[in-house]
Amino acid sequence: MQHNHPVDDSSLIDPALAGLYSQLTTQENVLGTLVVDLDSQLHFAEGLLALTDRRLLARSATGEWSSWPCVGVKGLELRHFDHAGVGTLELQEAGKRLAGWRFTLGANVQALRLVRLFAQQQALGREAPGVLDAPAVDGDTALCPECDLPLPPDSEECPACARELHTPPSTWVLLRLWRFAHPYRHQLLAGFLLTLASTAATLVPPYLTIPLMDDILIPFQNGQHIEPWKVGALLGGLLGAALLGWALNWARTYLLALVSERIGADLRTATFDHLLDLSLDYFGGKRTGDLMARIGSETDRICVFLSLHALDFATDVLMIVMTAAILFSINPWLALVTLLPLPFIAWMIHVVRDKLRTGFEKIDRVWSDVTNVLADTIPGIRVVKAFAQEKREAQRFREVNQHNLAVNDKLNKTWSLFTPTVSLLTEIGLLVVWAFGIWLVSRQQITVGVLTAFIAYIGRFYTRLDSMSRIVSVTQKAAAGAKRIFDILDHVSNVPETANPVKIEALQGRIDMKNLGFRYGNRSVIRGLDLQIQPGEMIGLVGHSGSGKSTLVNLICRFYDVTDGAIQVDGTDIRRFGVADYRRHIGLVLQEPFLFFGTIAENIAYGKPDATRAEIVGAARAAHAHEFILRLAQGYDSLVGERGQGLSGGERQRISIARALLINPRILILDEATSSVDTETEKEIQRALDNLVQGRTTIAIAHRLSTLRKADRLVVMDRGQVVEVGPHDELMARQGAYWRLYEAQARQVDSEAGDAGAEDGRIALATAQIAHTAQHAGNP
């Protein structure tokens, strides 16, 4: 788009682009824009970056414009950084910083594209065509059809909407269930043979109607004598066929129902087992309700399909094939007329199948949204009630439920048209057979008995054909469910098991980190980190929020694998250990301890289920938890509520410490273990921690720097790097990063104490005034 004249009507554009047009020169083309929402002090303030085919334009939060030529300038580059939720763009010339801009990572996709366009301009060294785009969404940036957010560069997948791996959404995915059906192949073969026999038994009665009509009813109507034994034999044949069909149907239904339930159980177990083996980053991108729906309702749907509808489908196919063979053996021409509707029905099934499959996949995703609301609200009901947000959550559920209803209504429009149309075609087919059959009877080419048998067979044929068309719906539901299950099973963990793990005999606890680097997606969190921890040493990790402390301990626990460098324990890369074998030597005490629904003894023994009661009590005593446990009604057998809601925060923390003590770990991780409790409880927990850290390599994270004074060394982190290492006194003497943190925290404590003192003074004064007023009121 050429800009030969300034645009006067700024109301036609977004306010974020206000003023950009007046800065453009004749024939200058805008290639891309980026709205930056942070200033240099990380306060929210809106600015704008615009890249043209000639220069880089920047508008500050105060409205001032700056520009730098971007064509033909050697050594000029636009560099991108990100850390702790903040992105940075820096304009550099020969390594010298010219300007910088900061933004929240919601604009990271546009920032990366702007960097790429800038590099292209530098490489081209000439004008490149461009268009003026909307704010933060470039003109040639594709939008997600679901949420209208910009897609990442060179990608057709929206990160916000892509919740699944892209396996082909086809009915053929059901064939992958053979992996779970294979152990039951003999039972399935027996079920197939029973199905074949029961189908054959149900085809006997129509065939017996031919002699029953031609040899019994019509001659008897014409006055001929009929032998009673013939009537009895034919009726006995009909009864015998019915009883045999019933017995065979019962046997095959019961057998295949048992098999399908076992296949469903194996499928659920395999999916859950695989889910537990996946790394934490998989769960970070999934909703609890969605995963519950997949393992629960999706496997149930597959189970119902295997036990009922797959069986019906096999029966329908056998019935149609065998009935067609009988019809052709009786009269080929009449059989051909019977098959006339079949091509039209097959074409309709082919057309409708894809619409049903994609529709059911969307229904599954929408239903996951419904379960997600439940999974969010019910565990968080205390917060919902505390903030009086019941109506808001009810409205949120009402909205997703309404969306679910709308998606189902849309699919039902297709299905409601398809099913009656198939029924209409079969009725027309039956009418044509009647007409052609009457014509054949009038020309004495067939008997009335043959026509009667034909009509009976056709009734079964068309019924099965109609049933097959209806099975299309449940088949597509099962295929959509199987796809979502296999999306989990096909996902490969980012923390893989090594093929030949190194056996851990006795862990000493020496940890070496060499040139460590780690990224969350495209966001760098740890970079170039080097640190050595000796066996039995206690290390305190300190730093601002977002400096990478928790990420570092996650890497040591191998919840994630490093992207650069290596972590070695006792000289061996931790990626060479078996994951479970390695983690058995790590004790983890979190800021928010998680307790399972069950007894206190079961929660303490979670890491060592075979622990004796004496070992459990010993761990509880060392964690200073024994006394309060005995005060409970059932002692160690007292049930705690879901997530330990029946206990206080300090009590839950001491149980988690006892849980860590019981497994006797060589490496101990304390992640803000005392930050969410009061001072008195903190003292209790600190005494428990003193018992816990004895003789173990300990890495402790704490915002209260005073709690780390017992650490052998303090490691100060900033922007994913180690900036200082040493004991408390030494770091204070340096007056560096640790000293600034400590002083800032001390000033905050003094300020809070002063505020509390002032508040106490105000309360005392107010109390005295009230007492004085009351005294005078009582003595006028």
Side-chain angles (χ1 to χ4, degrees), residues 507-511 556-557 569-570 574 582-588 663-669 695-699:
L507 206 65
Q508 298 299 316
R510 188 181 80 253
I511 304 175
I556 294 174
C557 294
V569 173
D570 293 350
I574 62 174
Y582 170 65
R583 288 179 184 158
R584 287 192 188 99
H585 297 273
I586 296 178
L588 185 62
I663 66 172
N664 192 24
R666 297 305 307 156
I667 298 174
L668 180 63
I669 307 292
R696 296 179 172 88
T697 302
T698 304
I699 301 171

Side-chain angles (χ1 to χ4, degrees), residues 329-406:
S329 68
I330 296 175
N331 190 291
W333 291 108
L334 197 56
L336 284 175
V337 173
T338 303
L339 298 178
L340 279 178
L342 194 59
F344 299 99
I345 295 175
W347 175 77
M348 286 187 63
I349 291 175
H350 173 73
V351 171
V352 171
R353 184 183 57 189
D354 290 336
K355 293 183 178 180
L356 291 177
R357 180 172 56 247
T358 55
F360 285 127
E361 287 176 358
K362 190 168 185 179
I363 286 174
D364 287 340
R365 291 196 297 270
V366 173
W367 181 248
S368 295
D369 292 337
V370 176
T371 56
N372 283 333
V373 174
L374 296 175
D376 288 345
T377 305
I378 295 174
I381 191 65
R382 185 188 297 267
V383 177
V384 173
K385 289 186 174 298
F387 289 92
Q389 294 299 308
E390 292 91 343
K391 292 184 177 179
R392 175 186 174 186
E393 293 300 329
Q395 179 61 27
R396 185 177 162 214
F397 183 83
R398 192 175 294 110
E399 288 174 357
V400 294
N401 199 28
Q402 194 64 34
H403 187 203
N404 176 63
L405 183 63

